[in-house]
Amino acid sequence: WSYGKPNPAQAPQVADADWPQRPIDYFVLARLEKEGLRPSAQADKRRLIRRVTFDLTGLPPTPEEVDAFLHDDCPNDFEKVVDRLLRSPRYGERMAMQWLDLVRYADTVGYHGDQDFSVWPFRDYVINAFNENMPFDRFTREQLAGDLLPDATREQKVASGYNRLNMITAEGGAQDKEYLAKYAADRVRTTSSTWLGATMGCSECHDHKFDPYTMKDFYSFEAFFADLDEKGFYGGANRNGRWGPSLQLPSPEQTARLKQYDAEIASLNTKLRTQTPELHEAQQAWEKNLRDLRDNLDLAWRPMKPLEAKAEKGAKLRRNPNYSIRAIGPGVANDNFTVTFQTDRANITGLMLETLTSGKDDKKQVGMNSGNFILTEFEVETPGAAKDKPAKVKIKSAVADYSQKGFEIAKVIDGKKDTGWAVDGHTKKETRKAVFTFDKPLPGGPGTTITVRLKHESKQKNHVIGRFRVSASSVPNPTFDKFAMPQKRWELIRTKEEQRKPEQNIELAKYYRGVTELLDPTRATLAEQTKDREAFDKAITTTLVSQKREKPRTIRILARGNWLDESGPVVKAATPEFLPRPKAADPGKLSRLDLANWLTSPDNPLTARVFVNRLWKMYFGMGLSKSLDDLGSQGESPTHAELLDWLSVEFTESGWDIKHTIKQIVMSATYRQSSKGSPALDERDPFNRLLARQSRIRLDAEMVRDNALAISG
């Protein structure tokens, strides 16, 4: 009965022409008269305002609202109440409760740990849509394909979060393809049930046993959602909260603060890029100082020659021709190395430690007997005034090109045995570098010796550096790459300013601004502002949204729904074959937007029927067809088929106006009847038994509400 196009039937003739107040009443009264029955009397005003207030807002009326209605003698007194309730913000919340249940809204992922994710802006979108009386066809388009609309607004993108409401998982061991199949099947079941009142889920593994939905229909319907950018397994999302495409939703105040941050950061960056007379004067002094350095022919990192290398606990340290040192020896759990180096460099500003890999490509490692190391301390000494009392060199900072989480390079100079630097060496088998900058430059010069201690005192055993090299630099504020002095820049420094080309002066000035201590306060402020902005940005609300993939996934018919079996034929997006086909520019390339337009097409026999049937259930306790989610052959035929068709046509012809349709229902004489059953009913008649049951449901519900109000005072 539901697969035929609704018939726009005219309201039938009735004997009691004075009773109907809305077209609905003619259909109901005609049936009553046919059965030899009469309508119940209208409910008293107190009960009527309580009924409609609960039905439209989910809340009881206030005593003041009841008194105002009781003392209003205007002919349209009830209509004024209905209009007021339809304008209430609580109306949208009442309607949203039902809709959010249908589209399986939740604030958590559902599987395993059931972690939270942020999608509550979708909930607010639904509430606002009902309050603003958004036409149902637009409401449908924005949820299914808001992200595909031309120049999609922020609200339309939020609405597209409908496609992301399925359960998702970050559980270890989950198979990506398996869960993609689960998510896709869930969307078919939810969308078909919500909009079509169809049990399409029954055709996932075989053709539907009772309705004309086939497996091909199921997977063709699934193909509408193949363009969604998503993963099946969201590894790590339970820790970092990254559950796929999301949209940031800053408030106006937050947007203004972000702009302020950006302006401040841009100003600081401009300052770092701008050459001033003060900086130019300081740069000239810096260039002269570098030219005066004793070893000015080579300012880049220069490896130091190891003179002596010792290990405390049995490892053997082998010195190599390239000045690197390799630790060998089995069975050494932890060890400390002491190496004395010789260098001719003057004005030594810092040392660089390189941890070198060893072994074949498939077995490379940076540790001695392990893939990783934990360096707990890096200490530097010079001979000092007295030979038996070496002077310890103060290290002011340490930086590394990579640090394992929880094992940052700064922990090498914190003086603690239980902290240190590690580099994820088990998985990232690469040479790593760390630079240690001295508080004050060492004078250095020919024949200078420097002693370095590398300590491995972690509680974790077998985490000792396997091969390393130490280099020295005379560049102010050195680091691995940025501040090492390339030959090209040194040649510029050796050339007088007036002899350099303009672009060369610009290049050297840029380099100087990057190393000068004069701009350290600006760099520190920039780093602090950037960090504050990132923290502020992270606190802004986000919501899951739909995002289109560049290439849709291939959808196949899965034999018995088995996601491992890829032998089934490939299908394209299509609606069920027995229903009217979508009107689209290219029927072979249908999108989610085409699906949304088809669902609310005048040719679609189901969507309007399903929605108005749900509305009837909200206000009468039972739908005109009692099976709200199954309008197929296993569902119940409607008690008033012509009325359901009329409501469906009225709904679509009103422009899918939800409030208009609700008002048609609650303003009817049918709705305003007393819930007390007529004693004249013969309950041996099936239809009379149904009316009696509906009356008892209404009476019981109102008794519950009366009791609840009495308890609450």
Side-chain angles (χ1 to χ4, degrees), residues 276-390:
T276 65
E278 293 78 11
L279 286 172
H280 182 257
E281 183 179 347
Q283 180 183 339
Q284 288 179 319
W286 170 76
E287 291 181 29
K288 183 179 183 302
N289 180 58
L290 290 179
R291 285 192 292 267
D292 292 342
L293 286 174
R294 192 177 303 174
D295 60 343
N296 56 17
L297 294 178
D298 183 7
L299 293 176
W301 289 108
R302 183 187 296 170
M304 297 192 299
K305 180 180 180 180
L307 298 178
E308 185 179 16
K310 296 180 180 179
E312 291 182 4
K313 300 181 180 180
K316 294 182 180 180
L317 301 182
R318 178 191 298 166
R319 292 173 287 163
N320 298 318
N322 64 353
Y323 292 173
S324 69
I325 297 171
R326 182 173 182 180
I328 57 176
V332 180
N334 283 351
D335 210 336
N336 298 327
F337 305 153
T338 301
V339 185
T340 299
F341 296 93
Q342 183 182 50
T343 180
D344 293 335
R345 305 212 70 160
N347 197 51
I348 300 171
T349 54
L351 301 182
M352 177 170 67
L353 171 67
E354 297 174 87
T355 62
L356 309 169
T357 60
S358 59
K360 295 181 179 179
D361 289 343
D362 58 341
K363 294 183 179 180
K364 274 186 177 181
Q365 60 183 40
V366 291
M368 177 180 172
N369 295 311
S370 168
N372 204 357
F373 64 80
I374 301 176
L375 179 65
T376 56
E377 289 294 322
F378 184 88
E379 299 175 350
V380 181
E381 292 179 353
T382 57
K387 290 185 178 181
D388 57 340
K389 290 185 178 180

Side-chain angles (χ1 to χ4, degrees), residues 39-77:
S40 296
Q42 180 170 295
D44 63 84
K45 295 186 72 172
R46 184 182 300 275
R47 191 171 297 276
L48 198 55
I49 190 174
R50 285 174 49 73
R51 175 189 299 174
V52 74
T53 306
F54 269 113
D55 281 347
L56 295 186
T57 68
L59 298 169
T62 65
E64 293 76 15
E65 290 169 345
V66 174
D67 289 342
F69 182 54
L70 293 178
H71 294 91
D72 189 348
D73 296 326
C74 296
N76 65 337
D77 55 350

Side-chain angles (χ1 to χ4, degrees), residues 51-120:
R51 175 189 299 174
V52 74
T53 306
F54 269 113
D55 281 347
L56 295 186
T57 68
L59 298 169
T62 65
E64 293 76 15
E65 290 169 345
V66 174
D67 289 342
F69 182 54
L70 293 178
H71 294 91
D72 189 348
D73 296 326
C74 296
N76 65 337
D77 55 350
F78 185 63
E79 185 172 14
K80 288 192 293 184
V81 170
V82 171
D83 289 340
R84 173 177 59 80
L85 295 174
L86 290 175
R87 291 192 302 269
S88 167
R90 306 289 84 78
Y91 157 78
E93 295 167 2
R94 164 81 169 110
M95 293 295 293
M97 286 178 65
Q98 174 186 251
W99 188 258
L100 294 174
D101 280 348
L102 290 171
V103 299
R104 44 55 176 129
Y105 170 83
D107 290 300
T108 60
V109 302
Y111 286 118
H112 195 47
D114 200 26
Q115 296 86 6
D116 295 340
F117 57 44
S118 179
V119 74
W120 61 262

